[in-house]
Amino acid sequence: GFEVDAGWMDHVRLSSVRVNDGGSASFVSPDGLVLTNHHVAFNAIQKLSSEDEDLIASGFYAPTLADERRCTDLELNVLDSIEDVTARVQGAVADDADEAAARRQRSAEIARITQEETERTGLRCDVVTLYRGGAYALYRYRKYTDVRLVFAPEAQAAFFGGDPDNFTFPRYALDMTLLRVYEDGAPLSTPHHLRWSADGVDAGDLVFVSGNPGSTGRLNTVAQLEYLRDHHYPRILRHLGRRRAVLSAYAALGAEQERRAKRDLFSIDNSIKALGGYLDSLRDPAAMERKRAEEQELRRRVAADAELAAAVGDPWAAIARAQGTAAEIGARAYYASLRGSRLFDLARRIVRLTAEVEKPNDERLPGYRESQLESLKLSLFSPAPVYADLEEVAVAGALEELAQELGRDDPFVAAALGDGQPAAVAAELVAGTRLADPDVRRALVEGGRAAVEASDDPMVRLARDVDGIARELERRDRDEIDSVESKGGEAIARARFAVHGSSVYPDATFTLRLSYGVVQGYEAAGWNIPFKTTFHGLFERAAAFDHEPPYHLADRWRSRASDLALDTPFDFVCTADIIGGNSGSPVIDRRGELVGLIFDGNIQSLGNRFVFDDSVARAVAVDARGMLAALRDVYGADRLVAELQGRGD
């Protein structure tokens, strides 16, 4: 019963923000104030921390503008416009092109479009593939890199309940952070921003979620789902389990080591739980049978239309054959790196960058085109600290894993390890490299390929030695798997459009989506789960666990309990369609006001990656009223409370 008009939609779009390293956010004041999750901003907060000042543990509040701290390498994007470029991209492919040639022709045309638009507009421009190749859209973004930390609660308040409560409900988490965008040294003027709701939500309310879901697999073929189930997810989970063991051992060495490893450990724990949920959904016979039935019905309807059948062919069989190739080379392609090492990643990207920029723009690898270089260099030249001891254990663990997974005779492993042992090679690499210094990285990039070829830095030398091996594996992936899936995906999209029209929306692509749903509790395992929690429940849950971690209250919360109205709503759930990447998305009511902040889904929502079902799946959000009360009564952030309530707006 609610009509969404263009003005409402434009206001929400221009109030919505993408956090470029993963996550969503929104403008919440006319002066560039941005609301997102603590866990989305975690990396930025940790990079501002040190052994002497752990902002993750203590939290942070800037009482004045002058106290707001600039993040080292954070980029925020605001969607300016979208343009359909399907005809141009698909028209660049010659009729007689094989799959690999077609991929190269599409890629070159996408590079030309992005470069032309970047030069014409000065905006960040990305061409996004929709419907697995059925459509292409040009997204233009306003880009901001002067982003400053304004407020963050203690990690214990943001993640109350820790990993045991992750992907569950009821929740009692203040998973919020406030940032501010600056332009020319002053707070950005943001006339489009979300006003903070005073009324909040109640059961049955219609709500919207505006954010950037990362990826879904609802349009995958059954063969692709089977590959994910049998190969891809098990491989990643093995890797994450090993990496977690390495980092946990490092974190156990002391308080500073624990601080340094905390961000990675949090991310790994979250990924293990999420990927485990995805894998469980693919191992569910009923879910897979539903996907088979959907695919068979589409194929039946295609076969019943002779003209459509001739145009579509049998892309399902081609994609299935490509999954066989993926099973053959997938492990080698996945491990053609030292996963978990920031220094090796920097070296690899410097080696790639200096080689790729010598090529014509439309022949470069994605990520190294002219329109992408500014964002790449922001990351490459970041002054964020690199910890040698953490790097050493990460590299040693990665080398050990390489040897175990691929064998010492594998060309990549042989080039990386030689005759050495993982721990000794790692120690030599980390002790000898100078890449922790951003000035050294900048000099290499500015010196170009000649400087990289002449470098005797051991990490750069290793990246050079293995680059050819990695490139060949990536080429096979592009030409023998990705190109087949793209061509097949385009054909299946034509079939889907012919049968269903535009009623089926594309899989998520880390671009802006407007989802909607209803504030509603649910029933699970015979329990009725209410739609909301309150501050009272937070204190009750902490007491029930005798304040033992991870259910201990942050000191500030314990000392100020008497200042809180314990019936204040804290977290709530709704039926909106979200996935990873939606973290930090605003929850908006009919009036376009902010009523909540997405930070999680329940465990039942993980299967929505492949089949959407809102019977028990829920998106979890922090209530606007709980956030405001915490800022006012726990943190004494009166300046922010006034700004969020629009005083002087």
Side-chain angles (χ1 to χ4, degrees), residues 312-638:
V312 170
D314 190 1
W316 294 275
I319 289 173
R321 288 192 295 272
Q323 303 317 296
T325 306
E328 174 196 342
I329 70 169
R332 292 195 65 215
Y334 182 78
Y335 287 109
S337 181
L338 297 183
R339 291 182 172 274
S341 168
R342 185 174 174 219
L343 288 172
F344 179 80
D345 182 62
L346 289 166
R348 179 186 63 83
R349 289 192 290 165
I350 290 169
V351 169
R352 286 279 174 100
L353 172 61
T354 53
E356 291 298 309
V357 294
E358 294 185 351
K359 301 176 183 177
N361 187 59
D362 60 3
E363 294 179 13
R364 297 181 194 174
L365 292 173
Y368 297 92
R369 294 166 181 158
E370 288 296 324
S371 61
Q372 300 167 314
L373 293 187
E374 188 176 347
S375 295
L376 174 61
K377 290 178 180 178
L378 178 69
S379 173
L380 277 181
F381 305 148
S382 168
V386 179
Y387 301 108
D389 61 338
L390 177 56
E391 275 294 309
E392 188 174 327
V393 299
V395 173
L399 290 170
E400 182 73 35
E401 182 177 38
L402 278 173
Q404 290 177 359
E405 286 287 335
L406 303 182
R408 299 280 305 223
D409 294 334
D410 181 88
F412 189 97
V413 181
L417 268 176
D419 295 327
Q421 294 303 310
V425 172
E428 182 179 344
L429 285 168
V430 175
T433 187
R434 296 178 60 221
L435 291 182
D437 185 345
D439 290 336
V440 171
R441 304 195 294 264
R442 188 182 299 274
L444 282 168
V445 170
E446 291 175 350
R449 191 168 189 171
V452 169
E453 292 295 336
S455 175
D456 62 357
D457 186 292
M459 199 68 78
V460 175
R461 190 166 59 241
L462 173 60
R464 283 199 317 256
D465 291 345
V466 300
D467 189 53
I469 300 167
R471 281 178 181 268
E472 174 57 20
L473 288 167
E474 292 164 16
R475 183 203 63 77
R476 287 196 66 188
D477 183 81
R478 290 192 302 271
D479 290 352
E480 300 176 36
I481 302 169
D482 181 66
S483 62
V484 176
E485 291 180 332
S486 295
K487 182 177 180 180
E490 183 178 336
I492 292 172
R494 283 201 302 271
R496 194 172 278 114
F497 292 150
V499 172
H500 299 295
S502 59
S503 63
V504 177
Y505 51 91
D507 271 321
T509 53
F510 195 44
T511 53
L512 195 62
R513 302 285 179 101
L514 186 69
S515 179
Y516 61 91
V518 175
V519 176
Q520 184 176 298
Y522 59 102
E523 184 177 318
W527 290 84
N528 284 323
I529 312 296
F531 78 89
K532 69 174 182 180
T533 61
T534 64
F535 286 164
H536 177 78
L538 167 70
F539 289 95
E540 187 176 62
R541 190 158 177 79
F545 285 93
D546 295 323
H547 297 275
E548 291 292 326
Y551 298 103
H552 57 296
L553 289 168
D555 290 343
R556 189 183 281 110
W557 282 78
R558 296 187 74 167
S559 65
R560 301 189 181 174
S562 60
D563 298 326
L564 291 169
L566 295 183
D567 61 350
T568 302
F570 198 178
D571 296 338
F572 68 89
V573 291
C574 67
T575 62
D577 185 5
I578 66 160
I579 199 75
N582 271 119
S583 289
S585 298
V587 185
I588 305 163
D589 66 11
R590 294 166 179 258
R591 295 174 295 187
E593 294 186 347
L594 185 135
V595 295
L597 172 67
I598 293 292
F599 71 93
D600 203 1
N602 62 2
I603 199 75
Q604 294 90 343
S605 72
L606 294 174
N608 281 353
R609 183 173 186 85
F610 305 108
V611 180
F612 180 67
D613 182 350
D614 64 1
S615 57
V616 292
R618 293 292 182 271
V620 186
V622 194
D623 194 292
R625 293 164 291 184
M627 287 186 281
L628 201 66
L631 287 169
R632 182 185 61 240
D633 300 328
V634 178
Y635 297 95
D638 294 338

Side-chain angles (χ1 to χ4, degrees), residues 225 227-238 275-276 278-279 282 609-610:
L225 296 177
Y227 173 76
L228 293 174
R229 180 194 66 195
D230 299 337
H231 301 280
H232 183 69
Y233 287 145
R235 180 185 304 124
I236 297 176
L237 286 167
R238 284 198 307 275
L275 292 172
Y278 301 157
L279 184 57
L282 292 177
R609 183 173 186 85
F610 305 108

Side-chain angles (χ1 to χ4, degrees), residues 111-377:
R112 286 189 284 270
I113 293 170
T114 54
Q115 183 60 16
E116 289 170 10
E117 284 298 305
T118 299
E119 292 175 351
R120 184 182 72 82
T121 65
L123 302 177
R124 173 183 175 134
C125 296
D126 301 325
V127 172
V128 177
T129 303
L130 303 170
Y131 294 105
R132 305 304 172 94
Y136 296 86
L138 171 66
Y139 283 67
R140 303 181 185 91
Y141 295 95
R142 300 193 179 277
K143 179 172 64 177
Y144 302 100
T145 55
D146 186 350
V147 183
R148 307 189 191 184
L149 179 63
V150 179
F151 167 80
E154 312 89 335
Q156 182 53 31
F159 306 129
F160 178 83
D163 185 60
D165 279 8
N166 195 19
F167 293 111
T168 69
F169 198 78
R171 292 293 294 279
Y172 305 91
L174 186 71
D175 195 352
M176 68 174 292
T177 289
L178 288 163
L179 308 166
R180 194 183 306 276
V181 174
Y182 282 68
E183 191 171 55
D184 299 326
L188 178 70
S189 175
T190 47
H192 286 285
H193 61 275
L194 301 176
R195 292 182 179 274
W196 205 274
S197 171
D199 300 329
V201 294
D202 205 347
D205 283 356
L206 171 68
V207 290
F208 300 86
V209 174
S210 180
N212 299 272
S215 65
T216 49
R218 298 174 192 172
L219 302 186
N220 281 1
T221 67
V222 170
Q224 288 171 314
L225 296 177
E226 290 173 339
Y227 173 76
L228 293 174
R229 180 194 66 195
D230 299 337
H231 301 280
H232 183 69
Y233 287 145
R235 180 185 304 124
I236 297 176
L237 286 167
R238 284 198 307 275
H239 162 70
L240 292 174
R242 286 193 181 107
R243 194 161 165 234
R244 190 187 192 288
V246 168
L247 288 172
S248 295
Y250 170 81
L253 296 175
E256 175 59 11
Q257 289 88 343
E258 182 183 14
R259 184 191 72 80
R260 294 175 180 182
K262 187 174 291 184
R263 171 66 180 88
D264 287 340
L265 281 170
F266 171 79
S267 177
I268 288 169
D269 284 341
N270 188 68
S271 295
I272 287 173
K273 210 161 189 179
L275 292 172
Y278 301 157
L279 184 57
D280 287 345
S281 69
L282 292 177
R283 287 173 171 169
D284 179 358
M288 287 297 288
E289 185 54 39
R290 177 174 170 179
K291 299 303 293 186
R292 288 190 187 91
E294 289 175 358
E295 184 172 297
Q296 289 166 1
E297 175 61 14
L298 179 59
R299 297 181 72 169
R300 184 191 66 77
R301 294 185 66 172
V302 168
D305 183 329
E307 184 177 347
L308 181 61
V312 170
D314 190 1
W316 294 275
I319 289 173
R321 288 192 295 272
Q323 303 317 296
T325 306
E328 174 196 342
I329 70 169
R332 292 195 65 215
Y334 182 78
Y335 287 109
S337 181
L338 297 183
R339 291 182 172 274
S341 168
R342 185 174 174 219
L343 288 172
F344 179 80
D345 182 62
L346 289 166
R348 179 186 63 83
R349 289 192 290 165
I350 290 169
V351 169
R352 286 279 174 100
L353 172 61
T354 53
E356 291 298 309
V357 294
E358 294 185 351
K359 301 176 183 177
N361 187 59
D362 60 3
E363 294 179 13
R364 297 181 194 174
L365 292 173
Y368 297 92
R369 294 166 181 158
E370 288 296 324
S371 61
Q372 300 167 314
L373 293 187
E374 188 176 347
S375 295
L376 174 61
K377 290 178 180 178

